[in-house]
Amino acid sequence: MKEPLSSRWYWSLLLAIASMLGLMLIVVMIVDAFADHAPEPASQTAWKVQLRGVDDALKRNDLASAEMLWSKAYAAALKSRHWEGMVAVGDAYRRLGAHGGFRETAAAKARETYLAALFRARNEGSVEGLLQAARGFAELGDAAVVQRCLAVAQSVAAQTRDPRAEERVGAFAERWSASAGDWSSGHHSDVSTDHRTRREGTIR
């Protein structure tokens, strides 16, 4: 009995996603391997300064300056070796792409940064970071990757034995299920996405 066409298409899609994630994981691991192993405190926040410049340049409709500053922010986020900067630069590049008319290119780059954030958050045991990555992928419409993020977040939350962390993962999962995967840039979870207002001491 022949396998239904829809079933073959589904498994082909899953294999394609798995291949993409595997390749991107290798890229992230190589980048992290060559990054400084003991970054100075300033490198943890340098990307914030550059991203403020990106937003200011966009307000002036100065795309050239915005792209240059974003490149510096991206380099600083890579050097920081933490998830927060990678999420922030991914969000910023999507704003840049929307402003400059290259949304698809921006989305592809954002996927790379969100994936890097996902692996870094997992290594740090950060529930917040995993949910931030999930939010980014949700807004890009990458349903399969969102489910993977949530699975990892649930595992990390269980390991922390922090009821608040488990509640946050559950709340996010409920919103995702209720939305039927139809998220947009304006549909955010309760996870803060503003690097300028994020408070210290948030759930990990």
Side-chain angles (χ1 to χ4, degrees):
M1 182 177 182
K2 291 185 178 181
E3 185 180 10
L5 179 61
S6 60
S7 177
R8 294 200 301 272
W9 177 87
Y10 174 75
W11 286 110
S12 296
L13 176 61
L14 287 183
L15 287 173
I17 291 174
S19 298
M20 177 192 73
L21 291 179
L23 178 61
M24 293 177 70
L25 173 58
I26 293 174
V27 172
V28 171
M29 291 175 66
I30 291 174
V31 170
D32 278 354
F34 282 93
D36 291 342
H37 291 282
E40 298 178 357
S43 70
Q44 303 299 326
T45 58
W47 53 267
K48 295 183 180 182
V49 176
Q50 304 297 344
L51 287 187
R52 282 195 289 269
V54 170
D55 289 333
D56 289 341
L58 288 179
K59 291 177 182 178
R60 302 192 305 270
N61 201 33
D62 185 351
L63 290 177
S65 293
E67 290 197 55
M68 179 186 67
L69 290 168
W70 184 87
S71 295
K72 293 181 178 180
Y74 178 70
L78 281 176
K79 188 176 181 179
S80 75
R81 297 177 60 79
H82 292 291
W83 64 264
E84 186 180 4
M86 300 310 295
V87 169
V89 295
D91 290 344
Y93 203 63
R94 287 168 56 202
R95 294 195 297 274
L96 185 57
H99 199 93
F102 50 95
R103 290 177 183 271
E104 292 186 5
T105 300
K109 188 64 177 179
R111 283 186 178 90
E112 293 181 15
T113 65
Y114 294 148
L115 185 64
L118 166 62
F119 289 113
R120 290 180 175 186
R122 184 191 63 182
N123 291 338
E124 294 176 33
S126 172
V127 171
E128 180 181 3
L130 291 165
L131 293 182
Q132 287 276 20
R135 185 269 309 163
F137 284 119
E139 292 175 0
L140 291 174
D142 296 340
V145 188
V146 173
Q147 291 300 125
R148 179 57 182 163
C149 290
L150 289 176
V152 176
Q154 288 169 350
S155 176
V156 171
Q159 292 174 13
T160 65
R161 297 182 180 180
D162 185 342
R164 295 176 302 167
E166 294 181 342
E167 288 174 3
R168 294 188 70 189
V169 175
F172 188 104
E174 287 181 7
R175 288 187 179 89
W176 171 247
S177 297
S179 71
D182 183 20
W183 279 40
S184 66
S185 296
H187 188 164
H188 294 263
S189 73
D190 61 347
V191 180
S192 171
T193 60
D194 189 341
H195 62 269
R196 291 168 295 185
T197 60
R198 180 173 175 269
R199 297 192 300 273
E200 297 295 330
T202 49
I203 298 173
R204 293 179 60 82

